[in-house]
Amino acid sequence: MSANLSAFLYLVAGVLFILSLRGLSSPATSRQGNLFGMIGMAIAVATTLASHPPADGVAWILVILAVAIGGGVGAVIARRVPMTSMPELVAAFHSLVGMAAVLVAAGAFYAPEAFGIGTPGNIHPQSLVEMSLGVAIGALTFTGSVIAFLKLSARMSGAPIILPFRHIINIALALALVFFIVGLVLSGSAFDFWMIVILALALGVLMIIPIGGADMPVVISMLNSYSGWAAAGIGFTLGNSALIITGALVGSSGAILSYIMCHAMNRSFISVILGGFGGETAVAGGGSGEQKPAKLGSADDAAFIMKNASKVIIVPGYGMAVAQAQHALREMADMLKKEGVEVKYAIHPVAGRMPGHMNVLLAEANVPYDEVFELEDINSEFAQADIAFVIGANDVTNPAAEEDKSSPIYGMPVLQVWKAGTVMFIKRSLASGYAGIDNPLFYRDNTMMLLGDAKKVTENIVKAM
Amino acid sequence: MEHAAQLVDPFIFQLSIFVLAVFVGYFVVWSVTPALHTPLMSVTNAISSVIVVGALLAVGVGMISSGSGWARGFGFVALVFACVNIFGGFLVTQRMLAMYKKKSK
């Protein structure tokens, strides 16, 4: 296959990847988009195999074996993973992209002739620059994602781990990294190459351990972005346009998602990166003083009031997913709809543990996507709603974010549930939320607290209807 | 300005593709509906595994120098990882997208 033809086919693959993201602009076109992505991937693989066929029989066997193992494992994981575990799955996948980037660069370093970037020990300096950037970002993505995976899957505490002098250590590591990158470009020595790998692996760990559990939606988006830049770095080394285009797409996608998540939490990207948030804050909200009594309600009361309402807005949070209450919730919504009540769902951008997580969980429970609304689209509707039904959410409904300038979450965009006629809160207890801040809404006159397990309470409401 | 037909380094072309693709990515991703941000992450994961192209080159090198064996080894592991991602990423995205349904009237 001529070099021009294969370059053209890689371009086609790149365009298909762009179309696959374009498809996600609406659920109706999204499945077609995913198909475009698969076709693009097939074209890229076929083009490589046709233009640079494996050198001998052994190589062919290795290729088939690797695809069978990797494909098999991937397919099984994809089928089995529960939707609540999507964040850790995505983190694990990011780590694989990072490691693959490191290994591909290592392969290119030891057999540069196969990649057309020189001969062993005599690789073009420019390729070495591109390669070392790909390796460094790839290694950092790998360990960073592994830590994120451990934290998200609760195999490791979500509390931030703060090392003494961590900023100094990180800066020293970064400087050493630059030193060895320059060394690699000048000397092309294997020692420099592996030093870059080791330093970047260490930096990845140190960058993620100080970031607390509450900031994980940002971290996971950020690592998404890194995995893209790593791929782009390798794309430059290989001179492959499909890889460069994809790397740029994924890199900017992750960056935008990080921005959206930061904005939704009213946190600056820098302060998330510097870490230390979410964990030690539980002590903070102690000074609120006055303990007004909260109005407690029963499932029967809730069922009665809701049946007689004309509009109910449901605000689900991660607590709902933890209690696995989404199916019971859908049942409740169906009953209400049968009674002629208008039901809508309101989703805060950080309702789940990754961007869009709550939407997937609701979709899994067969909630139609056209009943689910984003914060900006639904906030004005709370005033016309008879009931705001808050299940498993807390901080994202806290009016202190708009009213109390001294609150740590002041300025964070929140769902204005307090504007509804009655606010119903399903919560385990009156304790504060993830950010450790008391919610004044619990003690207001038009609030009804339904204490208990989200799933049980919802089931009881369904029974009472 | 001596030679009108001066050759441009291929790197510049690659850089142009990269920069333009960053802009395309910026606009395309902003148009993704927030409801689909999780599938967006899983699908970007799958497509960034197009790094499989490099893994295939590394596995397939001819055994000509002492480094070739290493390259094959690294390439093999990279290929396994990339394939986990490709199959896992696209399939889990498909599974998620299949759950998004419109209101049945």
Side-chain angles (χ1 to χ4, degrees):
Chain A
M1 190 185 281
S2 84
N4 285 335
L5 179 58
S6 55
F8 175 73
L9 288 174
Y10 284 131
L11 178 65
V12 171
V15 171
L16 284 167
F17 291 152
I18 294 174
L19 291 177
S20 82
L21 298 195
R22 183 79 189 99
L24 292 174
S25 57
S26 113
T29 55
S30 61
R31 277 161 281 230
Q32 188 192 32
N34 198 35
L35 190 65
F36 282 145
M38 293 186 205
I39 296 170
M41 189 61 73
I43 291 177
V45 170
T47 306
T48 311
L49 288 175
S51 61
H52 293 85
D56 48 43
V58 181
W60 270 110
I61 292 171
L62 286 176
V63 168
I64 292 165
L65 198 64
V67 173
I69 297 174
V73 171
V76 170
I77 294 175
R79 196 148 304 157
R80 294 228 178 118
V81 67
M83 286 299 141
T84 36
S85 306
M86 277 312 292
E88 41 282 35
L89 179 75
V90 168
F93 279 172
H94 287 157
S95 75
L96 294 182
V97 177
M99 199 63 216
V102 173
L103 291 167
V104 167
F109 184 77
Y110 283 96
E113 64 282 353
F115 292 77
I117 54 172
T119 52
N122 203 359
I123 303 174
H124 308 314
Q126 187 186 312
S127 302
L128 284 172
V129 177
E130 296 153 3
M131 189 193 283
S132 49
L133 287 176
V135 166
I137 303 172
L140 196 141
T141 309
F142 173 67
T143 46
S145 302
V146 168
I147 300 290
F149 169 78
L150 293 174
K151 285 194 173 193
L152 284 165
S153 59
R155 288 179 172 85
M156 182 177 159
S157 155
I161 299 170
I162 311 279
L163 295 179
F165 309 115
R166 62 199 165 97
H167 297 311
I168 297 173
I169 297 174
N170 286 351
I171 290 168
L173 275 178
L175 288 177
L177 204 52
V178 173
F179 174 80
F180 284 107
I181 290 175
V182 174
L184 178 68
V185 174
L186 295 179
S187 71
S189 88
F191 175 76
D192 288 345
F193 180 88
W194 291 108
M195 278 312 287
I196 294 174
V197 174
I198 291 168
L199 288 170
L201 288 173
L203 196 58
V205 174
L206 292 175
M207 269 180 68
I208 307 300
I209 55 169
I211 304 181
D215 283 338
M216 276 300 145
V218 181
V219 169
I220 194 164
S221 317
M222 187 179 84
L223 290 165
N224 184 237
S225 178
Y226 288 175
S227 70
W229 305 131
I234 303 299
F236 277 106
T237 316
L238 305 184
N240 182 306
S241 57
L243 204 38
I244 295 175
I245 293 174
T246 312
L249 286 179
V250 178
S252 44
S253 162
I256 291 172
L257 290 175
S258 316
Y259 168 80
I260 294 175
M261 290 297 108
C262 284
H263 179 73
M265 295 193 292
N266 193 34
R267 314 242 299 119
S268 81
F269 189 66
I270 300 292
S271 81
V272 171
I273 299 292
L274 293 180
F277 185 81
E280 90 281 20
T281 39
V283 211
S288 51
E290 43 160 349
Q291 270 301 351
K292 279 205 279 177
K295 217 164 60 179
L296 301 182
S298 70
D300 296 308
D301 303 336
F304 179 77
I305 300 173
M306 275 199 278
K307 257 181 12 188
N308 291 304
S310 61
K311 183 171 181 175
V312 174
I313 299 180
I314 300 174
V315 180
Y318 194 67
M320 176 208 72
V322 173
Q324 288 292 320
Q326 52 271 50
H327 294 274
L329 185 69
R330 215 266 342 282
E331 247 178 83
M332 188 191 90
D334 286 350
M335 304 273 272
L336 287 173
K337 277 189 268 178
K338 243 182 252 160
E339 300 279 340
V341 182
E342 187 188 1
V343 179
K344 286 184 174 179
Y345 295 81
I347 302 219
H348 191 275
V350 290
R353 286 198 302 173
M354 72 186 285
H357 194 191
M358 194 53 63
N359 302 76
V360 176
L361 294 172
L362 290 179
E364 191 191 17
N366 287 322
V367 172
Y369 64 80
D370 41 4
E371 287 177 8
V372 181
F373 296 88
E374 304 299 320
L375 182 128
E376 306 89 68
D377 301 326
I378 199 151
N379 242 350
S380 58
E381 290 191 33
F382 280 107
Q384 292 110 48
D386 303 294
I387 293 161
F389 186 82
V390 184
I391 172 165
N394 183 2
D395 294 334
V396 298
T397 63
N398 195 333
E402 293 191 353
E403 294 157 6
D404 179 6
K405 284 200 173 139
S406 66
S407 171
I409 57 166
Y410 181 74
M412 176 172 128
V414 286
L415 290 160
Q416 299 162 338
V417 292
W418 59 87
K419 292 194 175 159
T422 306
V423 186
M424 291 185 188
F425 258 100
I426 299 197
K427 273 201 94 240
R428 263 173 204 285
S429 68
L430 294 171
S432 53
Y434 217 15
I437 304 148
D438 206 27
N439 193 340
L441 210 49
F442 297 169
Y443 313 108
R444 290 201 181 174
D445 292 336
N446 66 339
T447 302
M448 182 197 253
M449 300 298 296
L450 301 157
L451 296 185
D453 174 73
K455 191 176 173 185
K456 282 228 181 74
V457 174
T458 315
E459 282 170 351
N460 288 340
I461 295 176
V462 172
K463 261 184 233 151
M465 274 179 182
Chain B
M1 283 293 146
E2 321 90 287
H3 297 290
Q6 211 175 16
L7 279 177
V8 176
D9 191 310
F11 173 76
I12 301 302
F13 286 118
Q14 293 168 11
L15 190 67
S16 324
I17 294 175
F18 178 72
V19 172
L20 292 176
V22 168
F23 278 92
V24 171
Y26 180 86
F27 290 110
V28 169
V29 171
W30 270 118
S31 76
V32 170
T33 163
L36 292 176
H37 276 161
T38 297
L40 170 69
M41 292 193 97
S42 61
V43 85
T44 49
N45 217 302
I47 64 172
S48 59
S49 306
V50 71
I51 201 155
V52 71
V53 165
L56 286 170
L57 291 180
V59 180
V61 296
M63 298 301 276
I64 42 168
S65 69
S66 59
S68 310
W70 283 109
R72 276 195 177 181
F74 291 133
F76 179 77
V77 182
L79 189 55
V80 172
F81 284 178
C83 285
V84 171
N85 244 323
I86 293 174
F87 284 77
F90 280 125
L91 291 177
V92 86
T93 309
Q94 196 176 38
R95 199 179 129 202
M96 277 191 276
L97 294 177
M99 300 187 308
Y100 283 80
K101 291 183 196 87
K102 247 193 145 112
K103 210 179 315 194
S104 50
K105 293 216 169 122

